[in-house]
């Protein structure tokens, strides 16, 4: 080995340069070829994953559209005056009366749901009768009326009661087993397994400007909408799946809602990817099914919260990879041969100018960007040297330009954070005035309008980031007056700000988001006795403002999110004020939060004392 090195050292510079160049080209080329092969497999897998993922998303979008339409129809049913008057009565006892009532209920249900082919059946079930049903209109032979007593003892009914008027989606179950109807156990499993939407109807209507609801004499009926589990697999979002792939639906608890294998319906899925799918909502994973490596694509339904899953055999995704491997070898061999020829030609040019270029590069590396190299007559090195000189000039320009750009970005960010406040507050204030106009007879409206006018004038006309404390305090007092009227009797405000000079410069509306949080969130559980204390003092070039409330406090998770330096909390609030103060004054200044659950919260704001 030593003899080889010594012999190599005795070679001409050009020969050594060719050898080194070919070696340096060959080694990366081999690595590049290998990387190309592995990257190609990753790209193929990624493209396939994206394509399959799109199938799942489209399938979920289609099903959500249908289920949303069903939910909207149910909301319309709640406000149906015919249904309201039909059940606004004591429990009927006469059989003929029940049958007549059943026919009317069927007509009402058909009006809302008959146009939806995906529904198997719709019923209104009370403790004394099961009303309605879609079978008469759709001629579905599989329709079976639910036994009221069996329904009320089922898990589905208990879940609907807990929802207290909200629609729930109950995953696939055996109809006969769920409602303890043994006579239906011989029914075809394709029709016996269904999933349901259930809702305890608490109907109300507006009559002559008055909202009417059912009284105590009325038993709330339960709306039961049944779907066949094949509904999920019949609404394909795309036909671009590969051979051997299949789709199924599973709940976050692992219960299978829909599956091409009927034996797996209502069973529990225990695969390792499910836990990550629950957290990530949408994505892909590599797993094994029956000892076969598969690609799992999943997406969570916004309507039901169930997870749609597409299973694709892994080997089918990489069927074209051997061809890519062959091409990679050919390309690598061709490029290596070309590199040898190029090395032979380039070695004749790289001589004298190299030293001058290396010296100049070293100076540039040490930060001397004014380095200039006299231009050479050689064509190639003449271009290289001119580009090098031009590069140094551009680097100097870019350093200056980057510094200016950072200043502009900081100014733009401050402006953007500030502008977030105005439309948000205007929206809330208008809502408050609208509420008071509806709920009260013009009392205190005049005062609120004056306050609002003052606030709007201050917000629109004052475009400065830093304002006089006296002007900002006037705005805050107007805001507090409006909120005191909105939450009349809930809280009182105490201002202790006499120590702050009126001409001190403060960030515009810097206390409003914190005051708003204290009122809306801190006093949300109070009906009276709330105290909001705003105090301030100035000492040793520092202004310190303290906002204290005796509300319900802030839970640990929310507090950590707000106080975290990496918090990406969006919207208007404590994070907004914190970011503005950091941008305006730097890291030493900001916000401290101390809170105790069910006792209250204290927020302290520190900014430098400035007068203008």
């Amino acid at each position: 080995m030593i003899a080889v090195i010594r012999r190599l050292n005795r070679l001409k510079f050009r020969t050594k340069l060719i050898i080194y160049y070919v070696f340096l080209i060959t080694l990366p080329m081999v690595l590049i070829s290998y990387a190309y092969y592995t990257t190609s497999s990753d790209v193929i897998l990624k493209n396939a994953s994206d394509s399959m993922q799109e199938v799942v998303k489209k399938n979920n979008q289609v099903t959500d559209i249908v289920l949303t339409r069903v939910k909207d129809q149910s909301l319309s049913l709640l406000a149906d005056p015919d249904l309201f008057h039909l059940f606004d009565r004591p429990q009927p006892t006469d059989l003929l009366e029940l049958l007549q009532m059943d026919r009317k209920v069927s007509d009402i249900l058909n009006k809302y749901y008959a146009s939806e082919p995906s529904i198997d059946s719709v019923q209104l079930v009370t403790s004394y009768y099961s009303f309605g049903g879609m079978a008469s209109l759709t001629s579905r032979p599989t329709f079976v009326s639910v036994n009221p007593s069996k329904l009320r003892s089922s898990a589905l009914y208990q879940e609907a009661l807990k929802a207290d008027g909200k629609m729930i989606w109950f995953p696939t179950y055996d109809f006969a087993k769920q409602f303890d109807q043994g006579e239906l156990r011989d029914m075809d499993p394709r029709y016996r397994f269904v999933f349901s939407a259930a809702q305890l109807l608490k109907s109300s209507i507006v009559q002559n400007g008055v909202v009417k609801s059912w009284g105590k004499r009325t038993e709330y009926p339960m709306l039961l909408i049944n779907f066949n589990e094949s509904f999920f697999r019949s609404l394909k979002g795309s036909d671009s799946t590969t051979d051997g792939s299949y789709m199924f639906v599973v709940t976050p608890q692992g219960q299978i809602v829909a599956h091409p294998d009927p034996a797996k319906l209502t069973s529990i899925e225990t695969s390792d990817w499910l836990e990550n799918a629950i957290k990530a909502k949408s994505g892909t994973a590599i797993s094994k099914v029956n000892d076969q490596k598969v690609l799992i694509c999943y997406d969570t339904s916004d309507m039901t919260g169930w997870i749609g899953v597409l299973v694709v055999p892994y080997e089918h995704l990489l069927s074209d990879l051997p061809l890519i491997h062959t091409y990679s070898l050919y390309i690598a061999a061709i490029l290596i041969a070309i590199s040898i020829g190029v090395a032979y030609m380039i070695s004749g040019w790289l001589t004298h100018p190299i030293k001058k270029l290396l010296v100049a590069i070293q100076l540039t590396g040490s930060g001397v960007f004014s380095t200039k190299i006299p231009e050479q007559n050689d064509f190639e090195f003449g271009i290289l040297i001119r580009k090098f000189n031009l590069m140094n000039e551009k680097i100097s320009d870019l350093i200056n330009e980057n510094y200016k750009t950072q200043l502009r970005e900081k100014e733009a960010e401050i402006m953007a954070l500030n502008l977030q406040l105005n439309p948000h507050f205007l929206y809330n204030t208008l809502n408050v005035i609208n509420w008071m106009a509806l709920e009260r007879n013009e009392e205190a409206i005049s005062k609120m309008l004056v306050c609002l006018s003052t606030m709007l004038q201050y917000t629109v006309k004052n475009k400065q980031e830093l304002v006089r404390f006296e002007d900002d305090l006037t705005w805050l007092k107007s805001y507090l007056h409006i909120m005191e009227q909105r939450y009349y009797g809930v809280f009182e405000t105490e201002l202790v700000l006499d120590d702050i000079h009126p001409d001190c410069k403060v960030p515009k509306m810097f206390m409003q988001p914190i005051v708003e949080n204290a009122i809306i969130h801190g006093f949300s559980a109070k009906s009276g006795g709330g105290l909001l204390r705003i105090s301030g003092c100035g000492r040793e070039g520092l202004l310190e403002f303290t906002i204290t409330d005796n509300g319900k406090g802030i839970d640990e998770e929310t507090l950590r999110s707000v106080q975290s330096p990496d918090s990406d909390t969006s919207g208007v609030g404590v994070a907004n004020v914190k970011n503005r103060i950091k941008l305006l004054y730097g890291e030493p200044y900001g916000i401290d939060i101390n809170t105790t659950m069910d006792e209250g919260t204290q927020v302290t704001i520190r900014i430098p004392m400035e007068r203008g």
Side-chain angles (χ1 to χ4, degrees):
M1 185 66 179
I2 297 176
V4 173
I5 295 176
R6 289 178 178 176
R7 187 173 181 180
L8 184 62
N9 289 333
R10 289 195 295 267
L11 296 176
K12 294 181 179 180
F13 175 74
R14 182 175 181 180
T15 304
K16 289 191 290 185
L17 190 60
I18 293 174
I19 294 174
Y20 295 151
Y21 186 85
V22 171
F23 174 77
L24 293 175
I25 290 295
T26 302
L27 181 61
M29 197 62 62
V30 173
L31 297 177
I32 290 172
S33 298
Y34 174 77
Y36 175 72
Y37 173 76
T38 56
T39 303
S40 298
S41 62
D42 293 341
V43 170
I44 291 174
L45 182 60
K46 172 114 179 18
N47 291 338
S49 300
D50 293 343
S51 177
M52 299 300 105
Q53 180 71 5
E54 191 65 22
V55 171
V56 182
K57 288 185 177 180
K58 287 184 178 179
N59 192 75
N60 267 354
Q61 289 172 0
V62 173
T63 56
D64 281 357
I65 288 172
V66 175
L67 297 182
T68 300
R69 189 164 60 239
V70 171
K71 184 176 181 180
D72 292 341
Q73 291 165 344
S74 301
L75 292 176
S76 300
L77 180 65
L78 285 173
D80 190 286
D82 295 333
L83 181 70
F84 179 86
H85 293 301
L86 195 59
F87 282 90
D88 189 23
R89 50 167 295 169
Q91 174 181 332
T93 57
D94 183 70
L95 179 59
L96 178 60
E97 189 176 8
L98 276 172
L99 293 176
Q100 292 174 345
M101 188 174 176
D102 179 53
R103 186 170 61 254
K104 293 179 181 178
V105 170
S106 296
D107 292 339
I108 294 173
L109 294 179
N110 288 339
K111 179 173 65 173
Y112 290 100
Y113 301 105
S115 61
E116 189 54 67
S118 58
I119 296 177
D120 266 11
S121 63
V122 181
Q123 290 180 270
L124 288 181
V125 187
T126 63
S127 61
Y128 54 88
Y129 198 79
S130 294
F131 295 96
M134 297 287 288
S136 60
L137 182 66
T138 61
S139 300
R140 284 186 174 91
T142 59
F143 172 74
V144 178
S145 181
V146 177
N147 187 314
S149 62
K150 302 294 177 62
L151 172 66
R152 295 174 72 87
S153 63
S154 68
L156 188 151
Y157 184 78
Q158 298 305 319
E159 291 294 328
L161 283 181
K162 291 179 183 179
D164 193 26
K166 296 181 180 180
M167 177 170 284
I168 65 166
W169 296 95
F170 199 80
T172 298
Y173 57 92
D174 186 330
F175 189 90
K177 184 178 180 181
Q178 179 70 220
F179 300 123
D180 193 21
Q181 295 182 263
E183 65 276 11
L184 303 178
R185 295 189 186 278
D186 295 332
M187 181 189 293
D188 190 332
R190 292 178 300 170
Y191 304 117
R192 201 172 67 235
F193 285 95
V194 298
F195 70 94
S196 301
Q199 182 177 10
L200 198 64
L201 293 187
K202 295 185 177 181
S203 179
S204 60
I205 62 173
V206 178
Q207 189 174 31
N208 298 326
V210 178
V211 177
K212 291 188 175 182
S213 302
W214 284 330
K216 295 183 178 179
R217 64 177 181 173
T218 302
E219 177 188 341
Y220 295 138
M222 192 183 85
L223 174 66
L224 181 64
I225 306 175
N226 292 328
F227 301 80
N228 191 277
E229 61 86 22
S230 62
F231 164 77
F232 287 104
R233 292 178 284 108
S234 62
L235 295 174
K236 291 290 186 183
S238 173
D239 296 328
S240 61
T241 56
T242 62
D243 294 337
S245 62
Y246 61 91
M247 295 189 68
F248 69 96
V249 179
V250 63
T251 69
Q253 292 74 33
Q255 181 177 344
I256 294 180
V257 179
H259 200 285
D261 183 2
K264 290 185 176 293
L265 292 175
T266 73
S267 64
I268 301 300
E269 177 69 34
T270 58
S271 299
D272 53 355
W273 55 265
L274 183 58
E275 183 177 352
N276 290 332
I278 295 171
K279 296 178 181 178
K281 302 295 184 183
S282 181
T284 60
I286 301 297
S287 185
K288 281 191 175 183
V289 176
N290 299 326
D291 294 328
Q292 181 185 16
K293 192 175 182 181
V294 295
L295 171 67
I296 302 291
C297 300
Y298 55 85
D299 185 69
T300 303
S301 168
D302 294 331
M303 177 58 62
T304 62
W306 300 339
I307 304 170
V309 183
L310 176 63
V311 181
V312 185
Y314 194 85
E315 60 184 14
H316 292 178
L317 299 174
L318 302 177
S319 57
D320 295 332
L321 203 55
L323 185 61
I324 295 176
H325 181 264
T326 302
Y327 286 157
S328 298
L329 292 177
Y330 288 155
I331 293 173
I334 293 172
L335 291 178
I336 290 174
I338 293 175
S339 67
I340 294 175
V342 172
Y344 182 80
M345 291 186 295
I346 292 179
S347 62
W349 299 336
L350 302 179
T351 53
H352 181 69
I354 293 178
K355 293 183 179 179
K356 292 184 178 180
L357 186 59
L358 288 176
V359 172
I361 290 174
Q362 289 176 352
L363 292 174
T364 300
S366 63
V368 183
F369 298 108
S370 60
T371 303
K372 297 289 184 180
I373 303 176
E375 294 189 7
Q376 303 291 323
N377 294 326
D378 304 81
F379 177 75
E380 294 80 8
F381 277 99
I383 295 176
L384 183 60
I385 291 172
R386 285 196 297 272
K387 294 295 184 181
F388 177 84
N389 292 336
L390 181 61
M391 179 190 68
N392 275 350
E393 294 176 0
K394 288 188 176 181
I395 289 176
S396 298
D397 294 338
L398 287 174
I399 290 174
N400 295 329
E401 186 176 342
N402 184 56
Y403 176 75
K404 295 178 181 178
T405 300
Q406 289 180 351
L407 292 179
R408 290 195 295 268
E409 287 176 351
K410 183 175 181 180
E411 293 172 357
E413 188 175 1
I414 292 174
M415 182 178 294
L417 290 171
N418 185 38
L419 290 176
Q420 289 179 16
L421 292 169
N422 299 336
H424 175 80
F425 180 73
L426 177 60
Y427 177 82
N428 287 342
T429 305
L430 292 176
N431 275 337
V432 171
I433 295 177
N434 181 57
W435 177 82
M436 291 196 67
L438 293 175
E439 296 293 329
R440 302 189 180 188
N441 298 322
E442 299 184 358
E443 182 180 356
I445 297 297
S446 176
K447 176 63 177 176
M448 290 182 67
L449 287 174
V450 171
C451 292
L452 178 60
S453 176
T454 302
M455 294 164 65
L456 290 177
Q457 184 178 10
Y458 174 78
T459 302
V460 174
K461 290 187 176 181
N462 193 339
K463 301 298 182 179
Q464 297 177 345
E465 176 63 29
L466 297 178
V467 298
R468 293 176 68 247
F469 173 72
E470 183 178 38
D471 297 337
D472 205 72
L473 181 60
T474 301
W475 187 94
L476 183 62
K477 288 179 179 179
S478 298
Y479 172 80
L480 286 171
H481 176 78
I482 292 175
M483 299 307 286
E484 286 174 348
Q485 296 302 314
R486 167 63 180 88
Y487 298 92
Y488 185 77
V490 175
F491 72 99
E492 296 179 355
T493 303
E494 180 181 353
L495 297 176
V496 185
L497 298 166
D498 295 335
D499 292 340
I500 306 298
H501 194 280
D503 289 332
C504 285
K505 290 293 185 178
V506 296
K508 184 179 178 183
M509 296 189 294
F510 71 107
M511 287 192 288
Q512 185 272 339
I514 301 171
V515 172
E516 181 181 7
N517 283 343
I519 296 172
I520 295 178
H521 302 295
F523 299 144
S524 62
K526 285 185 175 287
S527 59
L531 177 61
L532 178 64
R533 189 175 190 272
I534 304 174
S535 61
C537 63
R539 61 177 183 275
E540 298 178 358
L542 179 71
L543 292 179
E544 187 171 284
F545 298 89
T546 303
I547 303 169
T548 308
D549 67 81
N550 61 347
K552 66 178 183 180
I554 304 174
D555 62 82
E556 293 182 2
E557 182 178 354
T558 303
L559 185 61
R560 282 196 303 269
S561 176
V562 172
Q563 291 182 331
S564 172
D566 299 325
S567 173
D568 59 350
T569 305
S570 62
V572 179
V574 177
N576 185 291
V577 176
K578 179 177 68 174
N579 290 336
R580 291 175 61 205
I581 292 176
K582 296 295 184 185
L583 288 170
L584 287 169
Y585 304 114
E587 290 299 326
Y589 305 98
I591 296 177
D592 290 329
I593 303 175
N594 293 313
T595 182
T596 302
M597 292 302 296
D598 300 324
E599 292 185 13
T601 302
Q602 177 177 296
V603 180
T604 302
I605 304 174
R606 298 185 312 279
I607 60 176
M609 182 184 297
E610 297 179 5
R611 293 188 186 180

